[in-house]
Amino acid sequence: MATTTKSRRKADAALSEALTTPVTSSDAATPAAEPDRQAAEHPARKPAAKRTARKPKAAATKPSIPFAELLAEPQADLPAELPAQTLPASHSEIWLNDGLSRELCWRAGTAAPLALCEAAAALFGEDGALDAEQAQTLDGLLALSAELGHELRVAPAVWEQLSFAADARERVRRLETTLAEGADLHALAALRQPLPEFQWEAALFALCAGRSLIADDLGLGHRATALAALQLWRRLFGLGSVVLLAPLERHAAWVGDAEAWLGGWPTGLQLLEPGEAPLADAELLIVDGVQLLEGLPLVATPHLLLLADRELLGEPLLGELVDWIDSNRRGPLRVWCDEAAAAGKRQQRELLQTVMLSRRKRDLLPRLPVVLEQAWWSGDAVELDAQAMAQLQHLQERWQSQRYLSAGEQLRLMSALQTLRQVAQSPSALSIKGRQVLDLLPQLIPAAAQRVAMFAQADATVQALAARLREQGLAVAELLLAQTPEQRQTQVDAWRGDARLVLAACDAACTGIDLQHELAALIHADQPWNPAQRVLRARRLNGDTGRGLPAWNLLIKGSFDALQRAAQAGKEQLPAATLDFELGARPFLAAADLVTLMDALAGQNSQSRACW
């Protein structure tokens, strides 16, 4: 009996030691209990400032009691079996630790070979944690574990986290391969006109980053950039449905630019205003004018492109946007909280360069084109002259079948085109354009310019717009063909000396007058038929060598503007005959010029013809 009591005391002591020994996992743990067990056993840890590898210490051994001897005696007080969670885990584990930036955490199992522990210590450091963005070498540890015949369990959340960086690397690799093979980005994106280099830079940045913010200076433009990025995303990576969230007053501009750059609205692109519910399965969310939103629409999409009309450096909003962009906690939010939030603008630009592109116009000047044009579409609409449109279509069909128009037919062609173009200069259209100018001016001064010049082809247009602006309390200087040279110079001098003045000028009245101003912005109140005329207006303001003049085209839905822009797409010049009111112009075109004009009207692909 004494022997039995003594044996029981030994068993109780052994069992007490087993139950009080801290363990982290169990070979018998079920997969379903794995996440809860990991959360309880591996509390969140802060990343170490510096990690150094060290060899794991060999576990101390204690004399064990032979359980065979204990079990030989009656063991009525012992449980039938030990709880599974008290058994030491023989396998090793890697799991995901959440925080401002996510980490991979390592725990060596009791059966982990020394070589594996040494490799893990070199990779994870002494605290057993590794920045998830630096985990590309995890494959080597898995290979070593397999080679040594040791079980290494990786939590599913780890693979999901690693997929974000893997996808980004693959996007970069595929783009580099595509460009190395000599692919034409314009053709690949199916753009109907050339995109400047600095805008391609922004489009490729958005594509590589996956989730990003583009916050360039006003005037550099972002709608064409976003459309180019969308096209490449779809053609190279099979992007599905997309949601575009924009203020209602910008919808017309997006539709117009899609027509100008792509020939129509892209399929699978849903255009919404703030507050509307987006598609549930959207893969990309584009937000225009993000700085204007009262509340951020935190829609969960794999990809995100935020567009701001100005730089947001130094503003609290930037931190909120970084939090939204870095929803997968890949590092930018930690950078913001640890360094960028308290840093200056220049440092913020550098620290957040993986998710934010914020460029100043002056830094891009050598790479900019002569003029930076943007479309400013109205939300209101006008109607085309049905008879003139029918005449134009009839002459177009005749040309396509015969490749010939008589002199009389050319006269009717010019008359139809002029009638259609004049719809955009009707009293109702000019009222719309007056409102457009009033909406645009507060954005231009002083953000993009210190002086504004507005050009039109006819005195009547200049005078009508000037009258509407004065009705709203704006000061306007006018340059008219009917004025004397002295009167024009007086108006120019007044404009140069007063930033509150808007200069409204007729093209023909500007000959011989110096209008150059290094901080001017240009508004096209009408659309010359020959695209070269728009460049001439820009040269009057920034000279023969100037670059990057910000310019806005006032365009109206339902007018001839969209059709004319489709005809001008990708062309530096077009024969105009009498369409641009040039002094001494003839209504008849030479044979080669007529071919150029009619081909522009017809378009060179199905997208252009669809406009007609």
Side-chain angles (χ1 to χ4, degrees):
M1 187 70 176
T3 303
T4 301
T5 302
K6 184 176 181 180
S7 298
R8 286 181 178 176
R9 287 175 181 172
K10 290 181 181 180
D12 290 341
L15 183 58
S16 176
E17 181 180 355
L19 292 172
T20 57
T21 300
V23 295
T24 58
S25 60
S26 170
D27 289 332
T30 62
E34 194 74 4
D36 292 339
R37 180 186 56 73
Q38 289 184 1
E41 296 172 4
H42 309 300
R45 65 178 75 217
K46 295 183 178 179
K50 182 177 181 181
R51 300 168 183 153
T52 56
R54 69 175 186 181
K55 296 182 179 180
K57 296 180 180 180
T61 58
K62 297 181 180 180
S64 59
I65 301 174
F67 273 82
E69 296 180 11
L70 297 176
L71 294 176
E73 299 288 340
Q75 304 294 331
D77 296 336
L78 290 178
E81 62 180 15
L82 293 177
Q85 64 270 23
T86 65
L87 297 177
S90 61
H91 65 271
S92 300
E93 297 174 302
I94 297 175
W95 74 94
L96 189 67
N97 184 40
D98 212 343
L100 291 178
S101 61
R102 290 171 182 162
E103 298 177 315
L104 307 188
C105 297
W106 154 267
R107 184 200 63 80
T110 57
L114 180 60
L116 183 65
C117 292
E118 290 176 342
L123 181 61
F124 286 84
E126 61 182 10
D127 65 343
L130 173 67
D131 185 345
E133 291 298 297
Q134 301 175 8
Q136 298 94 327
T137 54
L138 196 60
D139 290 346
L141 194 67
L142 292 170
L144 179 60
S145 174
E147 180 182 342
L148 297 173
H150 177 70
E151 183 183 6
L152 174 55
R153 296 182 184 178
V154 181
V158 170
W159 296 121
E160 183 178 4
Q161 185 68 28
L162 297 185
S163 71
F164 304 136
D167 287 343
R169 290 193 299 272
E170 178 58 21
R171 288 195 297 272
V172 173
R173 185 202 66 78
R174 188 161 188 181
L175 275 172
E176 289 177 342
T177 301
T178 301
L179 294 175
E181 293 173 349
D184 182 352
L185 287 178
H186 288 87
L188 192 60
L191 300 184
R192 300 178 60 199
Q193 52 188 309
L195 189 70
E197 176 190 345
F198 77 94
Q199 288 184 295
W200 273 124
E201 181 181 72
L204 294 177
F205 170 81
L207 187 55
C208 292
R211 299 178 66 85
S212 64
L213 164 67
I214 298 178
D216 288 336
D217 275 354
L218 179 66
L220 292 179
H222 54 235
R223 287 192 295 271
T225 294
L227 291 171
L230 169 61
Q231 291 289 94
L232 289 181
W233 225 317
R234 283 183 162 171
R235 291 173 183 267
L236 292 177
F237 304 102
L239 183 71
S241 57
V242 179
V243 171
L244 170 57
L245 194 67
L248 182 60
E249 60 271 17
R250 301 190 181 197
H251 285 199
W254 277 100
V255 173
D257 276 7
E259 185 69 51
W261 288 95
L262 307 179
W265 190 251
T267 57
L269 176 58
Q270 184 185 27
L271 179 59
L272 302 175
E273 61 179 305
E276 291 187 284
L279 296 171
D281 60 344
E283 297 182 17
L284 168 64
L285 174 65
I286 302 174
V287 182
D288 182 20
V290 68
Q291 80 282 357
L292 302 174
L293 298 180
E294 295 182 358
L296 299 182
L298 304 179
V299 180
T301 56
H303 306 296
L304 178 67
L305 177 55
L306 306 180
L307 305 171
D309 299 329
R310 54 178 173 81
E311 70 171 24
L312 302 177
L313 300 171
E315 299 186 22
L317 174 62
L318 182 56
E320 298 179 39
L321 298 181
V322 171
D323 186 7
W324 185 11
I325 292 169
D326 192 28
S327 60
N328 297 321
R329 298 299 184 256
R330 296 181 58 197
L333 182 59
R334 174 168 291 282
V335 170
W336 171 262
C337 294
D338 291 352
E339 301 179 70
K345 291 185 177 181
R346 182 176 180 179
Q347 288 179 296
Q348 285 185 349
R349 182 181 280 109
E350 295 174 352
L351 290 169
L352 298 176
Q353 61 183 335
T354 59
V355 293
M356 180 185 71
L357 187 65
S358 182
R359 300 169 296 178
R360 294 167 296 189
K361 177 186 167 184
R362 66 174 180 266
D363 296 332
L364 295 174
L365 273 180
R367 302 164 51 196
L368 296 181
V370 173
V371 60
L372 298 170
E373 285 194 339
Q374 295 191 60
W376 191 260
W377 288 92
S378 72
D380 300 314
V382 295
E383 293 185 4
L384 288 173
D385 185 293
Q387 184 176 355
M389 195 66 192
Q391 177 77 334
L392 176 61
Q393 291 173 337
H394 169 73
L395 294 171
Q396 180 74 2
E397 291 169 1
R398 175 167 171 75
W399 172 263
Q400 289 174 346
S401 63
Q402 303 293 328
R403 301 295 288 180
Y404 172 79
L405 289 181
S406 67
E409 288 170 329
Q410 288 190 48
L411 286 175
R412 290 193 290 275
L413 173 68
M414 293 299 160
S415 176
L417 287 172
Q418 202 65 278
T419 300
L420 292 169
R421 295 179 68 227
Q422 286 173 352
V423 170
Q425 311 307 320
S426 64
S428 60
L430 291 177
S431 293
I432 294 172
K433 290 190 175 184
R435 292 194 294 272
Q436 286 179 291
V437 175
L438 291 172
D439 291 340
L440 182 57
L441 287 177
Q443 301 185 41
L444 299 188
I445 300 176
Q450 293 182 5
R451 296 290 187 278
V452 174
M454 179 173 62
F455 287 87
Q457 292 185 305
D459 275 3
T461 303
V462 171
Q463 291 173 309
L465 280 175
R468 282 164 174 76
L469 296 181
R470 290 191 183 101
E471 289 173 0
Q472 300 299 321
L474 292 180
V476 182
E478 295 180 42
L479 289 184
L480 304 173
L481 188 59
Q483 293 171 334
T484 66
E486 292 75 16
Q487 290 173 325
R488 296 172 197 161
Q489 190 59 52
T490 300
Q491 295 290 306
V492 171
D493 292 341
W495 172 68
R496 288 187 180 279
D498 189 348
R500 295 172 299 175
L501 276 175
V502 175
L503 179 65
C506 171
D507 289 324
C510 297
T511 304
I513 297 180
D514 181 12
L515 297 177
Q516 292 186 38
H517 196 294
E518 62 179 3
L519 296 176
L522 168 62
I523 296 178
H524 296 288
D526 57 17
Q527 299 299 300
W529 178 258
N530 186 357
Q533 291 296 318
R534 298 205 307 270
V535 177
L536 180 58
R537 290 173 176 176
R539 290 299 191 198
R540 287 186 172 126
L541 292 177
N542 68 352
D544 294 335
T545 59
R547 290 183 173 274
L549 177 74
W552 280 262
N553 293 288
L554 303 185
L555 305 170
I556 301 178
K557 289 193 304 182
S559 72
F560 193 67
D561 289 339
L563 306 181
Q564 180 171 319
R565 283 170 64 84
Q568 294 173 340
K571 300 174 180 64
E572 296 181 358
Q573 291 199 32
L574 275 178
T578 56
L579 294 176
D580 280 337
F581 307 102
E582 293 185 27
L583 298 178
R586 299 172 68 252
F588 309 116
L589 293 172
D593 289 341
L594 182 60
V595 170
T596 301
L597 175 64
M598 298 306 293
D599 285 347
L601 291 174
Q604 300 302 310
N605 52 54
S606 58
Q607 289 180 331
S608 294
R609 286 190 289 273
C611 296
W612 296 92

